[in-house]
Amino acid sequence: MNELVPGGNLPLPGGAVTVRVPGPFDVSALVTDDGGKVRGDGDFVFYNQPAAPGAALRGDALTVEPARLRTGATRVTVAVSPAEPGTALGNLPSPTLHVTDAAGRPLARFTPPRPRQETVLLLAELYRRGDRWKLRALGQGYADGLAGLARDFGVDVMDDTPAPVPGSAGAGGPGRRSGPLDGGVHRPAHATTPAPTAVPAARRPAGSGLPGPPAAVQPALDPDGFAALVNSARASAGSPPVSLDPRLVSAARAHAVAMAASGRLGVESRDGVSVYQRVVGAGYAYLTVGEHLVSGPRTTAEFVAYCLRTDGPRRTLRDPAFTHAGVAHVHDGPTGDTYWTALWARPLTPDGQAGAAAAVTDLTNRERARAGLPPLAADPLLTAAAQAHSADMVARDFYAHTAPGGSRPWDRAAAAGSTRRSIGENIACGQRSPAEVVEGWMNSPGHRANILKPGFTHLGVGFAGGGRAGTYWTQLFGG
């Protein structure tokens, strides 16, 4: 087996190759062409988008079949980042890349120099030379995380994990993958089409059973005919129309102005405010929310046309869960580009919130049934504690099982009046729907263990929107 050093390379055999990075890391990969550019969302492989043509991520192992990569792909770059948000790689063991062939035989191993303050590290790249593929060891890190990664790949990247908050710990990401008290789901970044530049629409919790949009739209909210364009596209997909909401328009404009002032796209602008916080700050409490953040198009028609050309934005534009929208663009800032923010949302109602929580419970019990376990009963006291924790994470801008005041899951359950002897908790942020959040939890060993623990008999579910990373979910188990 070859021990590689930075810059070292190795010819690869034909067929599939697997690279594995054991330890407290998230593995991701970018599929690019000779120019080092991703072509769109589908070229980014990560924890919650674990497959692309020719590339599949299973836990800490990425398998690449070069012959099955999308047309034009000549390089697959492998990156790692800490599984816990806000952690520097220097605080973790050095990541070691293990490379095996299709039969599982070891080919190479690479351990880069120990990182320090870097939060993202490029470990290796698989690249084509003529009709053969080779692997090159890299070891290049970024102290500024995915933003630095974006500059090198010529794309804009959205980091869906919450910004680090002092004292926070993850339970993503889209949260973090570990035991019963470190659980959660996180969604790593999405890369986007270089031109127009875009941050793809985020995935947020979907709901049902809510009232439809208001019938009337004030013409001043829509001087360029945005609603007519998008509702025509939605009608062709069988989705109901959206209505422009002045609160969403206000939030969209504030975010577009902030992006233009800094000359960069991002869910969180340099003033430290995320687009989701702007939505709630404008007075719109949401059950589900999504966004398009784009630079490049000069007119509303061009912007809508871009959204319809690209798979992820097109799904969001047509999503039947949304009932309201808001859009704004600003031509300003150091780059002279036009910055767009489009927001899509459905309002929060008591029935909608109860329906989403019930859906999480139902999906959880389906997983238990598959494992031959009895269902969990909904517990109003655990529900109150779970809801309070989700709301607290949004209100106090943290993401952890331990609240800033020191309370732990069992403390919160007891404070709500619960006398359950055994308590467990899963948390997550940024997921779009009950199905997505439960799927993420089931793909993580620590959270899966909570869901399938035979000793648990009851469950409470809470979620709240408007935080730095969007919507925050909590499952509180009792036995």
Side-chain angles (χ1 to χ4, degrees):
M1 183 176 64
N2 294 278
E3 290 282 353
L4 297 177
V5 298
N9 61 71
L10 173 77
L12 295 175
V17 174
T18 296
V19 296
R20 177 173 173 262
V21 186
F25 307 105
D26 281 330
V27 179
S28 56
L30 296 111
V31 180
T32 61
D33 55 23
D34 282 330
K37 309 294 184 184
V38 299
R39 191 171 65 177
D41 281 297
D43 283 350
F44 204 67
V45 179
F46 55 90
Y47 180 63
N48 275 347
Q49 184 173 288
L57 180 64
R58 296 178 182 86
D60 59 8
L62 174 76
T63 299
V64 178
E65 296 183 68
R68 296 184 58 197
L69 293 170
R70 56 100 170 155
T71 302
T74 59
R75 186 184 306 170
V76 179
T77 303
V78 181
V80 294
S81 56
E84 293 289 343
T87 302
L89 286 167
N91 295 332
L92 302 175
S94 293
T96 296
L97 182 80
H98 300 263
V99 187
T100 57
D101 65 13
R105 292 183 291 262
L107 298 174
R109 184 168 59 195
F110 170 57
T111 302
R114 186 175 182 84
R116 294 184 180 180
Q117 296 304 312
E118 291 89 343
T119 55
V120 175
L121 189 68
L122 301 186
L123 275 184
E125 63 179 5
L126 288 73
Y127 63 101
R128 188 173 68 192
R129 282 294 179 265
D131 60 350
R132 298 293 303 275
W133 281 77
K134 304 179 75 174
L135 179 138
R136 178 184 293 117
L138 297 175
Q140 176 185 356
Y142 298 88
D144 51 351
L146 292 167
L149 184 69
R151 287 194 300 271
D152 270 16
F153 282 85
V155 297
D156 287 274
V157 175
M158 176 182 74
D159 187 352
D160 284 333
T161 59
V165 178
S168 70
R176 322 321 165 197
R177 306 201 292 254
S178 52
L181 293 184
D182 291 326
V185 179
H186 73 299
R187 299 170 40 240
H190 293 246
T192 62
T193 306
T197 308
V199 176
R203 303 175 192 167
R204 303 293 177 238
S208 59
L210 293 176
V217 175
Q218 297 177 15
L221 293 178
D222 193 17
D224 300 318
F226 175 79
L229 290 169
V230 300
N231 283 333
S232 174
R234 288 173 66 85
S236 67
S239 297
V242 293
S243 174
L244 293 189
D245 186 282
R247 297 163 295 181
L248 295 179
V249 172
S250 175
R253 178 158 186 82
H255 201 70
V257 168
M259 291 192 300
S262 62
R264 62 184 289 272
L265 296 171
V267 168
E268 183 178 326
S269 54
R270 287 182 179 171
D271 59 7
V273 182
S274 80
V275 70
Y276 318 114
Q277 290 168 316
R278 296 189 199 280
V279 170
V280 172
Y284 192 107
Y286 61 81
L287 180 68
T288 176
V289 67
E291 77 282 343
H292 293 129
L293 308 177
V294 177
S295 67
R298 293 286 176 159
T299 67
T300 298
E302 288 179 6
F303 171 74
V304 173
Y306 162 73
C307 293
L308 292 173
R309 282 198 309 271
T310 310
D311 184 55
R314 181 171 59 248
R315 288 197 303 269
T316 297
L317 188 151
R318 293 175 171 177
D319 193 330
F322 297 129
T323 58
H324 295 95
V327 66
H329 64 278
V330 175
H331 182 70
D332 199 0
T335 64
D337 290 332
T338 301
Y339 288 83
W340 293 80
T341 299
L343 295 169
W344 313 84
R346 189 178 190 115
L348 180 67
T349 66
D351 286 347
Q353 184 161 24
V360 171
T361 300
D362 178 65
L363 291 165
T364 298
N365 282 332
R366 291 185 193 182
E367 297 294 345
R368 289 177 63 87
R370 291 189 185 100
L373 295 169
L376 301 174
D379 185 305
L381 299 178
L382 294 178
T383 295
Q387 182 60 40
H389 188 55
S390 288
D392 192 30
M393 287 190 288
V394 170
R396 292 201 279 177
D397 195 17
F398 74 97
Y399 182 59
H401 294 287
T402 302
S407 69
R408 302 292 293 261
W410 41 86
D411 301 320
R412 295 188 288 270
S418 175
T419 57
R420 304 288 170 194
R421 298 179 61 186
S422 176
I423 295 292
E425 183 179 81
N426 287 343
I427 61 175
C429 62
Q431 286 68 30
R432 171 177 177 171
S433 67
E436 185 179 343
V437 74
V438 173
E439 180 183 7
W441 279 326
M442 288 298 294
N443 285 335
S444 172
H447 317 104
R448 180 186 178 93
N450 269 345
I451 288 173
L452 300 183
K453 185 172 180 177
F456 287 146
T457 57
H458 290 76
L459 176 66
V461 176
F463 68 94
R468 189 185 299 267
T471 301
Y472 290 65
W473 302 77
T474 301
Q475 278 186 316
L476 196 59
F477 302 86

